[in-house]
Coordinates of all heavy atoms in Angstrom, one line a residue:
Chain A
Q81 N 19.3 -18.4 -10.1 CA 18.6 -19.6 -10.6 C 17.5 -19.3 -11.6 O 17.3 -20.0 -12.5 CB 18.0 -20.3 -9.3 CG 17.3 -21.6 -9.6 CD 18.2 -22.6 -10.1 OE1 19.2 -23.0 -9.6 NE2 17.8 -23.2 -11.3
I82 N 16.8 -18.2 -11.3 CA 15.8 -17.8 -12.3 C 16.3 -17.5 -13.6 O 15.8 -17.8 -14.7 CB 15.0 -16.7 -11.7 CG1 14.2 -17.1 -10.5 CG2 14.0 -16.1 -12.8 CD1 13.5 -16.0 -9.7
E83 N 17.5 -16.8 -13.6 CA 18.2 -16.5 -14.9 C 18.6 -17.8 -15.6 O 18.5 -17.9 -16.8 CB 19.4 -15.6 -14.6 CG 19.0 -14.2 -14.2 CD 20.2 -13.4 -13.7 OE1 21.3 -14.0 -13.4 OE2 20.1 -12.2 -13.5
Y84 N 19.1 -18.8 -14.8 CA 19.5 -20.0 -15.4 C 18.3 -20.7 -16.0 O 18.3 -21.3 -17.1 CB 20.1 -20.9 -14.3 CG 20.6 -22.2 -14.9 CD1 21.9 -22.3 -15.3 CD2 19.8 -23.3 -14.9 CE1 22.4 -23.5 -15.9 CE2 20.2 -24.6 -15.5 CZ 21.5 -24.6 -15.9 OH 22.0 -25.8 -16.5
N85 N 17.1 -20.6 -15.3 CA 15.9 -21.3 -15.9 C 15.4 -20.5 -17.1 O 15.0 -21.2 -18.1 CB 14.8 -21.2 -14.8 CG 15.0 -22.1 -13.6 OD1 15.9 -22.9 -13.6 ND2 14.3 -21.9 -12.5
A86 N 15.6 -19.3 -17.2 CA 15.2 -18.6 -18.4 C 16.1 -18.9 -19.5 O 15.6 -19.1 -20.7 CB 15.3 -17.0 -18.2
D87 N 17.3 -19.0 -19.3 CA 18.2 -19.5 -20.3 C 17.9 -21.0 -20.8 O 18.1 -21.2 -22.0 CB 19.7 -19.4 -19.9 CG 20.4 -18.1 -20.3 OD1 19.7 -17.4 -21.1 OD2 21.5 -17.8 -19.8
S88 N 17.6 -21.8 -19.9 CA 17.1 -23.2 -20.2 C 16.0 -23.1 -21.2 O 15.9 -23.8 -22.2 CB 16.9 -24.0 -19.0 OG 17.9 -24.1 -18.1
L89 N 15.1 -22.3 -20.8 CA 13.8 -22.1 -21.7 C 14.1 -21.7 -23.1 O 13.7 -22.2 -24.0 CB 12.9 -21.2 -20.9 CG 11.5 -21.0 -21.3 CD1 10.7 -22.3 -21.4 CD2 10.8 -20.1 -20.3
L90 N 15.1 -20.7 -23.1 CA 15.4 -20.1 -24.4 C 16.2 -21.1 -25.3 O 16.1 -21.2 -26.5 CB 16.3 -18.9 -24.3 CG 15.4 -17.6 -23.7 CD1 16.4 -16.4 -23.5 CD2 14.3 -17.3 -24.8
E91 N 17.0 -21.9 -24.6 CA 17.8 -22.9 -25.3 C 17.1 -24.1 -25.7 O 17.2 -24.6 -26.8 CB 18.9 -23.4 -24.3 CG 20.1 -24.2 -24.9 CD 21.1 -24.6 -23.9 OE1 20.7 -24.9 -22.7 OE2 22.3 -24.6 -24.2
Q92 N 16.2 -24.5 -24.9 CA 15.5 -25.9 -25.1 C 14.2 -25.6 -25.8 O 13.8 -26.5 -26.7 CB 15.4 -26.6 -23.8 CG 16.7 -27.1 -23.2 CD 16.5 -27.8 -21.9 OE1 15.6 -28.6 -21.7 NE2 17.4 -27.3 -20.9
V93 N 13.4 -24.7 -25.4 CA 12.1 -24.5 -26.0 C 12.2 -23.4 -27.1 O 11.6 -23.5 -28.2 CB 11.0 -24.1 -25.0 CG1 9.7 -23.8 -25.7 CG2 10.9 -25.2 -23.9
G94 N 12.8 -22.3 -26.7 CA 12.9 -21.2 -27.7 C 11.6 -20.4 -27.8 O 10.6 -20.7 -27.1
V95 N 11.6 -19.4 -28.8 CA 10.3 -18.7 -29.0 C 9.9 -19.0 -30.4 O 10.6 -19.2 -31.3 CB 10.5 -17.1 -28.8 CG1 10.8 -16.8 -27.4 CG2 11.6 -16.6 -29.7
E96 N 8.5 -18.8 -30.6 CA 8.0 -18.8 -32.0 C 8.0 -17.3 -32.4 O 7.6 -16.4 -31.7 CB 6.5 -19.2 -31.9 CG 6.3 -20.6 -31.9 CD 6.6 -21.3 -33.3 OE1 6.0 -20.9 -34.3 OE2 7.3 -22.3 -33.3
V97 N 8.6 -17.1 -33.6 CA 8.6 -15.8 -34.2 C 7.7 -15.8 -35.5 O 8.0 -16.4 -36.4 CB 10.1 -15.4 -34.5 CG1 10.1 -13.9 -35.2 CG2 10.9 -15.4 -33.3
R98 N 6.6 -15.1 -35.3 CA 5.5 -15.4 -36.4 C 5.4 -14.3 -37.4 O 5.4 -13.2 -37.1 CB 4.2 -15.5 -35.6 CG 4.1 -16.8 -34.8 CD 2.7 -17.0 -34.3 NE 2.7 -18.3 -33.5 CZ 1.8 -18.6 -32.6 NH1 0.9 -17.7 -32.2 NH2 1.9 -19.7 -32.0
D99 N 5.4 -14.8 -38.6 CA 5.1 -13.9 -39.8 C 6.1 -12.8 -40.0 O 5.7 -11.8 -40.5 CB 3.7 -13.2 -39.6 CG 2.6 -14.3 -39.4 OD1 2.7 -15.4 -40.1 OD2 1.8 -14.2 -38.5
T100 N 7.3 -13.0 -39.6 CA 8.3 -11.9 -39.9 C 9.7 -12.6 -40.1 O 10.5 -12.6 -39.2 CB 8.4 -10.8 -38.8 OG1 9.6 -10.0 -39.0 CG2 8.4 -11.4 -37.3
P101 N 9.9 -13.1 -41.3 CA 11.1 -13.8 -41.6 C 12.4 -12.9 -41.4 O 13.4 -13.3 -41.1 CB 11.0 -14.1 -43.2 CG 9.6 -14.1 -43.4 CD 8.9 -13.2 -42.4
R102 N 12.1 -11.6 -41.6 CA 13.2 -10.6 -41.4 C 13.7 -10.6 -40.0 O 14.9 -10.6 -39.7 CB 12.7 -9.2 -41.7 CG 13.8 -8.2 -42.0 CD 13.3 -6.9 -42.6 NE 12.4 -6.1 -41.7 CZ 11.1 -5.9 -41.9 NH1 10.5 -6.2 -43.0 NH2 10.5 -5.1 -41.0
A103 N 12.8 -10.7 -39.0 CA 13.2 -10.9 -37.6 C 13.9 -12.1 -37.4 O 15.1 -12.2 -36.6 CB 12.0 -10.7 -36.7
I104 N 13.4 -13.2 -37.9 CA 14.1 -14.5 -37.7 C 15.5 -14.4 -38.3 O 16.5 -14.9 -37.7 CB 13.3 -15.6 -38.4 CG1 12.0 -15.8 -37.7 CG2 14.1 -17.0 -38.5 CD1 11.1 -16.8 -38.3
E105 N 15.7 -13.8 -39.4 CA 17.0 -13.6 -40.1 C 18.0 -12.9 -39.1 O 19.1 -13.2 -39.0 CB 16.9 -12.9 -41.4 CG 16.7 -13.9 -42.6 CD 17.6 -15.1 -42.6 OE1 18.8 -14.9 -42.5 OE2 17.0 -16.2 -42.6
R106 N 17.5 -11.8 -38.5 CA 18.3 -11.1 -37.5 C 18.8 -12.0 -36.4 O 20.0 -11.9 -36.1 CB 17.5 -9.9 -36.9 CG 17.3 -8.7 -37.8 CD 16.8 -7.5 -37.0 NE 16.2 -6.5 -37.8 CZ 16.9 -5.5 -38.3 NH1 18.3 -5.5 -38.2 NH2 16.4 -4.6 -39.1
F107 N 17.9 -12.8 -35.9 CA 18.2 -13.6 -34.8 C 19.3 -14.7 -35.3 O 20.3 -15.0 -34.5 CB 17.0 -14.3 -34.2 CG 16.2 -13.4 -33.3 CD1 14.8 -13.3 -33.5 CD2 16.7 -12.6 -32.3 CE1 14.0 -12.5 -32.8 CE2 15.9 -11.8 -31.5 CZ 14.5 -11.7 -31.8
K108 N 19.0 -15.2 -36.4 CA 19.9 -16.3 -36.9 C 21.3 -15.7 -37.1 O 22.3 -16.3 -36.8 CB 19.3 -16.8 -38.3 CG 20.0 -18.0 -38.8 CD 19.3 -18.6 -40.0 CE 20.0 -19.8 -40.5 NZ 19.4 -20.3 -41.7
A109 N 21.4 -14.5 -37.7 CA 22.7 -13.9 -38.0 C 23.5 -13.6 -36.7 O 24.7 -13.6 -36.7 CB 22.5 -12.6 -38.8
A110 N 22.7 -13.4 -35.7 CA 23.4 -13.1 -34.3 C 23.8 -14.4 -33.6 O 24.5 -14.3 -32.6 CB 22.4 -12.3 -33.5
G111 N 23.4 -15.6 -34.2 CA 23.8 -16.8 -33.5 C 22.7 -17.7 -32.9 O 23.0 -18.7 -32.4
A112 N 21.5 -17.3 -33.3 CA 20.4 -18.2 -32.7 C 20.2 -19.4 -33.6 O 20.6 -19.4 -34.8 CB 19.1 -17.3 -32.8
M113 N 19.6 -20.4 -33.1 CA 19.3 -21.7 -33.8 C 17.9 -21.6 -34.3 O 16.9 -21.5 -33.5 CB 19.5 -22.9 -32.9 CG 21.0 -22.9 -32.2 SD 21.2 -23.8 -30.7 CE 20.4 -22.9 -29.5
V114 N 17.7 -21.7 -35.6 CA 16.5 -21.4 -36.2 C 15.9 -22.7 -36.8 O 16.7 -23.4 -37.6 CB 16.5 -20.4 -37.3 CG1 15.1 -20.3 -38.1 CG2 16.9 -19.0 -36.7
D115 N 14.7 -23.1 -36.5 CA 14.0 -24.3 -37.0 C 12.7 -23.8 -37.4 O 11.7 -23.8 -36.7 CB 14.0 -25.4 -35.9 CG 13.3 -26.6 -36.4 OD1 12.9 -26.8 -37.6 OD2 13.0 -27.5 -35.5
G116 N 12.5 -23.4 -38.7 CA 11.2 -22.9 -39.1 C 11.0 -21.6 -38.5 O 11.8 -20.7 -38.6
T117 N 9.8 -21.5 -37.7 CA 9.5 -20.2 -37.0 C 10.0 -20.3 -35.6 O 9.8 -19.4 -34.8 CB 8.1 -19.9 -37.0 OG1 7.3 -21.0 -36.5 CG2 7.6 -19.6 -38.5
R118 N 10.6 -21.4 -35.2 CA 11.0 -21.6 -33.8 C 12.5 -21.1 -33.7 O 13.4 -21.6 -34.5 CB 11.0 -23.1 -33.4 CG 11.3 -23.3 -31.9 CD 10.2 -22.9 -31.0 NE 9.0 -23.6 -31.1 CZ 8.7 -24.7 -30.4 NH1 9.6 -25.1 -29.4 NH2 7.6 -25.4 -30.5
V119 N 12.8 -20.3 -32.8 CA 14.1 -19.7 -32.7 C 14.6 -20.0 -31.2 O 13.9 -19.6 -30.3 CB 14.1 -18.2 -32.9 CG1 15.5 -17.6 -32.8 CG2 13.5 -17.8 -34.3
R120 N 15.7 -20.7 -31.2 CA 16.3 -21.0 -29.9 C 17.6 -20.3 -29.8 O 18.3 -19.9 -30.7 CB 16.5 -22.5 -29.8 CG 15.2 -23.4 -29.8 CD 15.5 -24.8 -29.6 NE 14.3 -25.6 -29.5 CZ 13.5 -26.1 -30.5 NH1 13.9 -25.7 -31.8 NH2 12.4 -26.7 -30.3
F121 N 18.0 -20.0 -28.5 CA 19.1 -19.2 -28.2 C 20.2 -19.8 -27.3 O 19.8 -20.4 -26.3 CB 18.7 -17.9 -27.5 CG 17.7 -17.1 -28.3 CD1 16.3 -17.4 -28.3 CD2 18.1 -16.1 -29.2 CE1 15.4 -16.7 -29.0 CE2 17.2 -15.4 -30.0 CZ 15.8 -15.7 -29.8
P122 N 21.4 -19.9 -27.8 CA 22.5 -20.4 -26.9 C 22.4 -19.7 -25.5 O 22.1 -18.5 -25.5 CB 23.7 -20.2 -27.6 CG 23.3 -19.9 -29.0 CD 22.0 -19.3 -29.0
R123 N 22.7 -20.4 -24.5 CA 22.7 -19.8 -23.1 C 23.5 -18.5 -23.1 O 24.7 -18.5 -23.5 CB 23.3 -20.9 -22.2 CG 23.1 -20.8 -20.7 CD 23.5 -22.0 -20.0 NE 22.4 -23.0 -20.1 CZ 21.3 -23.0 -19.3 NH1 21.1 -22.0 -18.4 NH2 20.4 -24.0 -19.4
G124 N 22.9 -17.4 -22.6 CA 23.7 -16.2 -22.4 C 23.7 -15.3 -23.6 O 24.1 -14.2 -23.5
M125 N 23.3 -15.8 -24.8 CA 23.4 -15.0 -26.0 C 22.7 -13.7 -25.9 O 23.2 -12.6 -26.2 CB 22.9 -15.8 -27.2 CG 22.8 -15.0 -28.5 SD 21.9 -15.9 -29.8 CE 21.3 -14.6 -30.8
C126 N 21.4 -13.7 -25.5 CA 20.6 -12.5 -25.6 C 21.1 -11.5 -24.5 O 21.2 -10.3 -24.7 CB 19.1 -12.8 -25.2 SG 18.3 -13.7 -26.5
R127 N 21.5 -12.0 -23.3 CA 22.0 -11.2 -22.3 C 23.3 -10.5 -22.7 O 23.5 -9.3 -22.5 CB 22.3 -12.0 -21.0 CG 22.9 -11.3 -19.8 CD 22.9 -12.2 -18.6 NE 21.6 -12.5 -18.2 CZ 20.9 -11.8 -17.2 NH1 21.5 -10.8 -16.6 NH2 19.7 -12.2 -16.9
E128 N 24.1 -11.2 -23.4 CA 25.4 -10.6 -23.9 C 25.1 -9.5 -24.9 O 25.7 -8.4 -24.9 CB 26.3 -11.6 -24.6 CG 27.2 -12.3 -23.7 CD 27.9 -13.5 -24.3 OE1 28.3 -13.4 -25.5 OE2 28.0 -14.6 -23.7
I129 N 24.2 -9.7 -25.8 CA 23.8 -8.7 -26.8 C 23.2 -7.5 -26.1 O 23.6 -6.3 -26.4 CB 22.7 -9.3 -27.8 CG1 23.3 -10.3 -28.6 CG2 22.1 -8.1 -28.6 CD1 22.3 -11.1 -29.5
I130 N 22.4 -7.7 -25.1 CA 21.8 -6.6 -24.4 C 22.8 -5.7 -23.7 O 22.9 -4.5 -23.8 CB 20.6 -7.0 -23.5 CG1 19.5 -7.6 -24.4 CG2 20.1 -6.0 -22.6 CD1 18.5 -8.5 -23.6
Q131 N 23.6 -6.5 -22.9 CA 24.6 -5.8 -22.0 C 25.7 -5.1 -22.8 O 26.4 -4.3 -22.2 CB 25.1 -6.8 -21.0 CG 24.0 -7.2 -20.0 CD 24.5 -8.1 -18.9 OE1 25.4 -8.9 -19.0 NE2 23.7 -8.1 -17.8
A132 N 25.9 -5.5 -24.0 CA 26.9 -4.8 -24.9 C 26.4 -3.4 -25.3 O 27.2 -2.6 -25.6 CB 27.2 -5.6 -26.1
S133 N 25.1 -3.2 -25.4 CA 24.7 -1.9 -25.9 C 23.5 -1.2 -25.4 O 23.3 0.0 -25.4 CB 24.5 -2.1 -27.5 OG 23.5 -3.1 -27.7
A134 N 22.6 -1.9 -24.7 CA 21.4 -1.3 -24.2 C 21.7 -0.4 -23.1 O 22.4 -0.7 -22.1 CB 20.4 -2.4 -23.8
P135 N 21.2 0.8 -23.1 CA 21.5 1.8 -22.0 C 20.8 1.4 -20.7 O 19.6 1.0 -20.7 CB 21.0 3.2 -22.6 CG 20.0 2.8 -23.6 CD 20.3 1.5 -24.1
S136 N 21.4 1.7 -19.6 CA 20.8 1.4 -18.3 C 19.9 2.6 -17.9 O 18.9 2.4 -17.1 CB 21.8 1.2 -17.2 OG 22.7 2.3 -17.1
V137 N 20.2 3.7 -18.4 CA 19.4 4.9 -18.2 C 19.3 5.8 -19.5 O 20.3 5.8 -20.3 CB 20.2 5.9 -17.1 CG1 19.3 7.1 -16.9 CG2 20.3 5.1 -15.8
Y138 N 18.2 6.3 -19.7 CA 18.1 7.3 -20.9 C 17.2 8.4 -20.6 O 16.4 8.3 -19.6 CB 17.7 6.6 -22.2 CG 16.3 6.1 -22.3 CD1 15.2 6.9 -22.8 CD2 15.9 4.8 -21.7 CE1 14.0 6.4 -22.8 CE2 14.6 4.4 -21.7 CZ 13.6 5.2 -22.3 OH 12.3 4.8 -22.4
T139 N 17.3 9.5 -21.4 CA 16.4 10.6 -21.2 C 15.3 10.5 -22.2 O 15.6 10.4 -23.4 CB 17.2 11.9 -21.4 OG1 18.1 12.0 -20.3 CG2 16.2 13.2 -21.3
Q140 N 14.1 10.6 -21.8 CA 13.0 10.8 -22.8 C 12.7 12.3 -22.9 O 12.3 12.8 -21.9 CB 11.8 10.0 -22.6 CG 10.7 10.3 -23.7 CD 9.4 9.5 -23.6 OE1 9.2 8.7 -22.6 NE2 8.5 9.9 -24.4
H141 N 12.9 12.9 -24.0 CA 12.7 14.3 -24.2 C 11.2 14.6 -24.3 O 10.5 13.8 -24.9 CB 13.5 14.9 -25.4 CG 15.0 14.7 -25.2 ND1 15.8 15.8 -24.9 CD2 15.8 13.6 -25.3 CE1 17.0 15.4 -24.7 NE2 17.0 14.1 -25.0
A142 N 10.9 15.7 -23.8 CA 9.5 16.3 -23.9 C 9.5 17.5 -24.8 O 10.6 18.1 -24.9 CB 8.9 16.6 -22.5
R143 N 8.4 17.8 -25.2 CA 8.3 19.1 -26.1 C 8.7 20.2 -25.2 O 9.3 21.2 -25.8 CB 6.8 19.2 -26.5 CG 6.6 20.2 -27.6 CD 5.3 19.9 -28.3 NE 4.1 20.1 -27.6 CZ 3.6 21.3 -27.2 NH1 4.3 22.4 -27.6 NH2 2.5 21.4 -26.5

Side-chain angles (χ1 to χ4, degrees):
Chain A
Q81 180 65 50
I82 294 171
E83 289 169 349
Y84 184 89
N85 292 348
D87 265 351
S88 300
L89 192 50
L90 288 176
E91 187 181 40
Q92 294 175 45
V93 178
V95 293
E96 279 287 309
V97 179
R98 290 189 178 153
D99 305 317
T100 169
R102 199 167 66 242
I104 292 176
E105 274 311 308
R106 283 194 196 273
F107 287 128
K108 190 174 180 181
M113 302 160 286
V114 173
D115 178 10
T117 54
R118 185 72 68 93
V119 183
R120 294 182 176 81
F121 300 86
R123 198 168 278 281
M125 172 187 151
C126 293
R127 178 172 294 266
E128 272 172 39
I129 291 170
I130 293 165
Q131 293 184 333
S133 57
S136 59
V137 178
Y138 69 95
T139 297
Q140 181 180 353
H141 294 259
R143 192 157 71 72

